[in-house]
Amino acid sequence: RGNALDSRSTYSEILGTHMKAGGTEIGDNTQIGGSLVEVGDTFIRMGKMEKEYLRDVYDNFFKPFSNHLQVEWTNINTEKRRLDLARLDLDASKSKVRGARTPEAMQQNEQKAIPIPEYLCTQVRESQAAFDRQYEQTKILLTDADRKSAEFTNHLEEFVRSQINFHENAKKLLEETYAKMKK
C-alpha cells in the first residue's frame, strides 16, 4: 500500500507540473511565465511533502490501527459469541432441571425436596463451569483491549502531529514563494 503512494502523483504535483509547463511555454523570462514556473516548483515540492505525510500517517496510524481492528476486535467478537453460546447452554441445562420437576410432583412434595436426576445436575455444573471459563476469557481480552487503548491514543496523537507538521511546512513553503513573487 505504501508503494502505491510513492508511484502516483499527487494533485499538487500535477498542478505544479502543468503550471511549470505553462510558464515555460509562455516564457520563463517573462513575469507571468517566471511566476508560473516558481509557483509550479512550489506545488511540486508540496506534492512531495504530501507523499511523505501520507507515508508517515499510513505507517504510524492507519497500519497499526487497522491491524488492531482486524486481529484484536475479531478475537473479542468471537469470544463474545462463544460466551453467548455458553450462556444459552447454561440456560438450557437449568430449564431441563426445572422441567424435571412436574407440577404434580411439586404439589405432592411441597414440604420435601424433589430429587433431581444426577445427570441433569452434572450437566448444569458442566455448563456453569464452561460459562465461567468463557466469561473469564472474554474478560481478559476486554481488559487487554482497554489497556491497548492508551497505545492507540498515542497513534492518534502521531496522526495529529503529522497533520500539524505537514500544514506548517506547506505554509512555510507557500510563504517563501509569496515573498519571492513580491520582489
Side-chain angles (χ1 to χ4, degrees), residues 39-57:
V39 173
D41 282 335
T42 300
F43 273 89
I44 290 171
R45 287 172 49 201
M46 278 181 54
K48 289 181 177 154
M49 285 176 17
E50 187 177 354
K51 282 182 181 179
E52 290 173 20
Y53 155 73
L54 291 173
R55 193 174 313 109
D56 186 44
V57 167

Side-chain angles (χ1 to χ4, degrees), residues 57-102:
V57 167
Y58 177 76
D59 291 339
N60 293 320
F61 177 69
F62 288 113
K63 191 174 180 182
F65 191 67
S66 176
N67 288 341
H68 175 71
L69 287 179
Q70 290 175 356
V71 175
E72 295 294 325
W73 285 105
T74 301
N75 289 343
I76 288 170
N77 284 333
T78 300
E79 295 302 323
K80 285 173 75 175
R81 278 194 302 274
R82 288 180 182 163
L83 181 64
D84 289 340
L85 291 174
R87 181 68 206 182
L88 290 173
D89 288 344
L90 179 60
D91 290 345
S93 297
K94 287 181 178 181
S95 291
K96 287 179 184 177
V97 168
R98 282 190 298 273
R101 298 178 180 165
T102 62

Side-chain angles (χ1 to χ4, degrees), residues 1 5-6 22 26 28 53 57-60 88 91 102 109-110 118 121 123 136 138 143-144 148 164 175:
R1 205 165 212 302
L5 292 174
D6 294 338
I26 292 172
D28 54 0
Y53 155 73
V57 167
Y58 177 76
D59 291 339
N60 293 320
L88 290 173
D91 290 345
T102 62
N109 299 318
E110 285 179 352
E118 185 57 37
C121 293
Q123 189 177 18
E136 288 302 318
T138 306
T143 303
D144 191 44
K148 287 183 179 181
I164 290 169
E175 285 173 344

